[in-house]
Amino acid sequence: MADNVIPFPGAEAEPDDAPPFSQADIQAITQQLIDELGSPEAVLQALGAFGGFEPFGGRGPFDLMSPRPKPKLLRKRSKRATYVVRLDLDDAKPPIWRRLRLRSDVTLGHLHGIIQVAMGWTNSHLHQFKMGPSTKDFMMMPFLTAYDLSEGETDGIPENDVRLDQVLGEPGHRLFYEYDFGDSWHHTIKLERVEPWVDGQPDASCVTGRRACPPEDVGGVPGYEDALAGLRSEPSDNPEWTRELLAWLPPRYDPEHFDVAEVNEQLWQGLFNPDAWHPGIV
């Protein structure tokens, strides 16, 4: 299963004989950064601030030699509850987000399908969840997807074995989700409220949200921002690139469009609920 099903517009494969960075190049760049910022720790903190995360979850650079930390699951709730969460597409400006009401004991495999529908993705790429519940630690081992297991991965916890209440316990807790490892669409799921469960309500529903989902394979947040600038007819340093991006957008694409009724119609059809499928299908 290829990660990128549709080629990115204008992308060309790197030649096999492209010269890699030499060890001397890497050492020179690293030393320059240390000289300018004062210490290796300052370099790591600067990189973390640039990427929007705390480097190594607050650990020091020498801890990289230690095994990657595994998720520490929270205790399951004794009674099912309703979780009100906010789902944000990280770094999107203006913000792109959804507010959802979720059954507290849905699995992360089910949550993956809910996110795909709620945001508007097409489930065409790989994904992964990473545990919080507070600091975003990119060294944290992700939960294993069905694809990981089919590839023989065994070191980790399958996402289909993990419930939502085992990763989000109280308001303020966060869970991190990445979709499409090429475009790297990072999402944050933040628990806002815990409410009593009402029998008969759907496993997932969308309360509100803002703005349309970016098109698939547009080049992540930077490519999407370039496409939006093209829609606004802003001057471009690379008009040909802008034309390619605009041609890549779906017909009549409106970045402001969001219809909560459309989202709920798809969610309530239950097409993305693997918890309800026969194990053979899963």
Side-chain angles (χ1 to χ4, degrees):
M1 176 179 176
D3 177 39
N4 287 322
V5 177
I6 306 172
F8 179 59
E12 297 181 359
E14 292 250 349
D16 292 338
D17 58 352
F21 281 109
S22 68
Q23 187 65 30
D25 292 332
I26 296 173
Q27 290 177 347
I29 294 171
T30 303
Q31 189 59 54
Q32 181 180 353
L33 289 171
I34 293 173
D35 291 342
E36 292 183 0
L37 297 179
S39 70
E41 290 77 12
V43 173
L44 293 175
Q45 290 298 328
L47 291 174
F50 177 78
F53 56 84
E54 186 175 349
F56 315 121
R59 296 186 299 277
F62 296 106
D63 290 327
L64 289 176
M65 295 180 288
S66 302
R68 296 178 67 184
K70 294 183 178 181
K72 296 181 180 179
L73 299 181
L74 307 177
R75 180 177 298 179
K76 297 178 181 177
R77 287 183 172 270
S78 59
K79 293 184 179 180
R80 178 181 294 171
T82 297
Y83 275 9
V84 180
V85 306
R86 173 158 164 155
L87 167 66
D88 276 272
L89 180 60
D90 296 351
D91 302 319
K93 298 177 182 180
I96 300 173
W97 59 274
R98 311 287 185 256
R99 179 166 287 114
L100 306 171
R101 294 174 60 84
L102 304 173
R103 200 183 79 198
S104 62
D105 56 354
V106 297
T107 66
L108 295 189
H110 185 179
L111 180 60
H112 159 64
I114 293 169
I115 291 172
Q116 288 288 305
V117 172
M119 287 301 302
W121 300 118
T122 63
N123 203 22
S124 302
H125 303 281
L126 301 178
H127 74 279
Q128 65 180 13
F129 286 98
K130 285 190 177 181
M131 184 87 179
S134 53
T135 301
K136 186 175 184 180
D137 181 359
F138 82 94
M139 290 294 292
M140 177 70 67
M141 289 182 64
F143 294 104
L144 299 178
T145 66
Y147 176 76
D148 296 326
L149 296 173
S150 72
E151 291 291 296
E153 291 284 344
T154 58
D155 189 14
I157 305 173
E159 64 178 25
N160 285 329
D161 294 342
V162 179
R163 296 175 12 164
L164 183 59
D165 58 6
Q166 292 179 283
V167 293
L168 299 176
E170 58 187 49
H173 280 181
R174 296 181 297 167
L175 175 67
F176 306 102
Y177 172 83
E178 181 181 0
Y179 171 63
D180 184 353
F181 302 151
D183 279 6
S184 295
W185 299 107
H186 291 274
H187 305 68
T188 298
I189 303 102
K190 183 178 180 180
L191 179 58
E192 294 184 323
R193 296 193 307 277
V194 179
E195 300 177 351
W197 174 259
V198 178
D199 289 338
Q201 69 183 53
D203 292 350
S205 61
C206 186
V207 179
T208 186
R210 293 292 182 274
R211 296 178 62 83
C213 184
E216 297 272 1
D217 303 293
V218 77
V221 171
Y224 183 54
E225 290 178 344
D226 288 343
L228 293 181
L231 284 175
R232 295 190 296 265
S233 300
E234 295 179 1
S236 172
D237 294 332
N238 192 338
E240 182 177 352
W241 172 245
T242 300
R243 284 193 295 271
E244 288 188 31
L245 284 173
L246 292 178
W248 189 256
L249 298 179
R252 298 179 297 279
Y253 178 75
D254 179 5
E256 299 292 336
H257 175 76
F258 173 74
D259 189 327
V260 68
E262 290 179 2
V263 171
N264 281 323
E265 182 178 0
Q266 295 181 58
L267 286 173
W268 296 342
Q269 287 174 353
L271 297 179
F272 288 89
N273 182 3
D275 291 347
W277 296 351
H278 186 280
I281 298 177
V282 174

